[in-house]
Amino acid sequence: MDVGEKTNEITRFRPLLDTLEDLADTALHHLRDVTFTEDASQLRTGNAPRAMATCRNLAIGALRLAGIRNIAAGLRRAARDHTRPLALLGLT
């Protein structure tokens, strides 16, 4: 298989990859909106909305890396003991 054939193969799957990427973005936004009520946030100016989205993504990613599938339940569990979030991040 030469370079042209490989390029054609990659190009053929590009729409599928774009669709999967859009689905992942939509799912993450839905998770942030439902769990953190992100759309109701009153942070609207400057870098605050992006910074808060980054913090929320960090929390979601840390919980997923720890094997927690239910993010809302994981957040509630972490909120009950102030040492759990630090332990989850390996900071204790």
Side-chain angles (χ1 to χ4, degrees), residues 16-54:
L16 176 62
L17 294 174
D18 289 343
T19 301
L20 291 174
E21 185 176 309
D22 290 343
L23 286 173
D25 288 345
T26 301
L28 180 60
H29 175 74
H30 178 74
L31 175 64
R32 283 196 322 245
D33 186 35
V34 170
T35 305
F36 295 102
T37 59
E38 187 175 61
D39 286 348
S41 174
Q42 294 184 3
L43 297 173
R44 305 251 188 259
T45 60
N47 291 325
R50 180 172 287 159
M52 286 304 299
T54 301

Side-chain angles (χ1 to χ4, degrees), residues 8-19:
N8 287 339
E9 289 293 317
I10 292 170
T11 304
R12 198 174 80 196
F13 288 107
R14 189 74 228 164
L16 176 62
L17 294 174
D18 289 343
T19 301

